[in-house]
Amino acid sequence: MLGIEYPELKDLTYWHDKEIDEEIEFRDQTISEVDMLVSFENFCFVATQIIFGKPPTAIQMEMIRYFEKGPELRGIMAFRNAAKTTISVFYVVWQAYREPRINIFCVSGDQGKARGMVKESRSMYDKINFLAKFHPIHNMGNKGTMSDSADGYNVFGAMGGKSQTFAAAAISGNITGSRAHIIIMDDIETPNNSTTPDLREKLMARDSEADNLLHDEFSGSFGLTFRPFKMYLGTPHTEDSIYYRRQADGYKFRIYPARFPNED
């Protein structure tokens, strides 16, 4: 298997799990809440089995590690259906699990996908028992924190105010007016907004607006200072992709092509 028979390819970040059947490393099935709080990898290992009935694939585990431990300026470029968005949803829920006061904002290519992320992340509080204590329904009756809609919600323990625990919007919509500790730019480049130089410049301008939404540093759980950041997930649509431009600005991207070199 790739990375086993071919050690020289072991460290490549673009192997294609759909063509290999590598067994996920065995983990103790009694992972504790502390284990999940301190490790996104452990959280995903447990949560994916509850929701999907199986652990993440090897390529998904690689992405999960980069979400958690990548450089401050980071991004992922990958083929369609690589689970970039699903992992970002899990990341949102994990961060709120660790620190309910956090504000996370996702900007997506269209409103339907943005709302889909809100719906998917919120549903995890219905499906996973150890998240139930943070369910948005516990804010009912509290005008300061009660916020639960198709575009965003607050978990129990949120600070309240204008910014929600998690909110999402389309890149073409209103992305100003709230602040965030984490901004996820998820597939903001689409065929409809990147086919001409003018459209790509407009997309860059909209993307740059999001930089003004980042909070200042704050002291979070575990006595750690949290440094807000913005990250990218996407599939390039042109040779002049916004993701390539962000690379030039210092962002470090992990790239997962749909094909990889093999023995032939």
Side-chain angles (χ1 to χ4, degrees):
M1 304 308 295
L2 182 61
I4 298 176
E5 281 86 350
Y6 305 100
E8 65 275 15
L9 301 182
K10 176 64 178 176
D11 295 326
L12 292 180
T13 61
Y14 49 79
W15 60 71
H16 189 352
D17 286 87
K18 293 184 178 180
E19 296 179 16
I20 65 175
D21 185 25
E22 181 173 318
E23 187 70 27
I24 291 291
E25 179 182 356
F26 174 78
R27 289 170 185 266
D28 187 355
Q29 296 301 306
T30 59
I31 293 174
S32 70
E33 281 209 51
V34 172
D35 294 329
M36 290 185 288
L37 282 167
V38 299
S39 167
F40 183 44
E41 193 173 335
N42 283 336
F43 176 86
C44 288
F45 187 81
V46 172
T48 54
Q49 292 185 86
I50 293 172
I51 293 178
F52 302 120
K54 57 184 179 181
T57 64
I59 193 172
Q60 290 163 1
M61 289 299 276
E62 176 70 15
M63 290 184 189
I64 286 165
R65 294 185 188 106
Y66 199 65
F67 260 83
E68 179 181 5
K69 300 176 181 178
E72 180 179 340
L73 300 179
R74 61 187 181 270
I76 290 174
M77 284 187 271
F79 50 89
R80 293 295 181 188
N81 299 317
K84 303 183 299 294
T85 298
T86 298
I87 293 171
S88 69
V89 166
F90 277 65
Y91 188 67
V92 165
V93 175
W94 178 66
Q95 288 285 8
Y97 175 50
R98 288 159 49 89
E99 175 53 86
R101 298 176 299 167
I102 203 167
N103 305 127
I104 305 174
F105 186 50
C106 178
V107 182
S108 189
D110 63 73
Q111 188 65 21
K113 187 173 181 182
R115 287 185 168 181
M117 293 181 70
V118 173
K119 181 178 180 180
E120 185 178 354
S121 62
R122 192 194 180 287
S123 72
M124 291 177 67
Y125 296 94
D126 295 317
K127 299 173 181 177
I128 300 178
N129 288 338
F130 63 81
L131 295 176
K133 54 183 171 288
F134 300 105
H135 200 296
I137 199 171
H138 297 316
N139 288 316
M140 293 296 291
N142 186 333
K143 292 183 179 180
T145 59
M146 186 172 63
S147 180
D148 192 4
S149 71
D151 298 314
Y153 60 83
N154 278 331
V155 299
F156 186 67
M159 292 184 66
K162 195 171 184 179
S163 301
Q164 297 166 293
T165 299
F166 180 51
I171 186 68
S172 59
N174 181 17
I175 62 172
T176 60
S178 61
R179 305 291 297 280
H181 300 102
I182 300 173
I183 297 176
I184 301 174
M185 310 301 283
D186 180 53
D187 275 329
I188 58 171
E189 182 177 288
T190 71
N192 293 330
N193 65 19
S194 62
T195 52
T196 68
D198 284 347
L199 286 174
R200 291 193 289 273
E201 289 304 320
K202 289 178 181 179
L203 177 62
M204 286 290 295
R206 293 291 290 168
D207 173 52
S208 297
E209 289 180 24
D211 295 335
N212 300 320
L213 306 182
L214 284 172
H215 275 302
D216 297 327
E217 292 184 359
F218 84 112
S219 297
S221 298
F222 313 111
L224 301 176
T225 298
F226 186 90
R227 185 179 176 89
F229 63 90
K230 174 185 174 186
M231 68 180 298
Y232 292 85
L233 310 171
T235 303
H237 286 80
T238 72
E239 293 182 355
D240 189 27
S241 171
I242 189 172
Y243 309 122
Y244 300 145
R245 292 195 186 189
R246 288 310 183 208
Q247 279 186 305
D249 293 336
Y251 276 82
K252 305 297 183 183
F253 280 82
R254 283 286 174 90
I255 303 174
Y256 302 85
R259 296 180 181 275
F260 61 88
N262 58 31
E263 187 176 26
D264 297 329

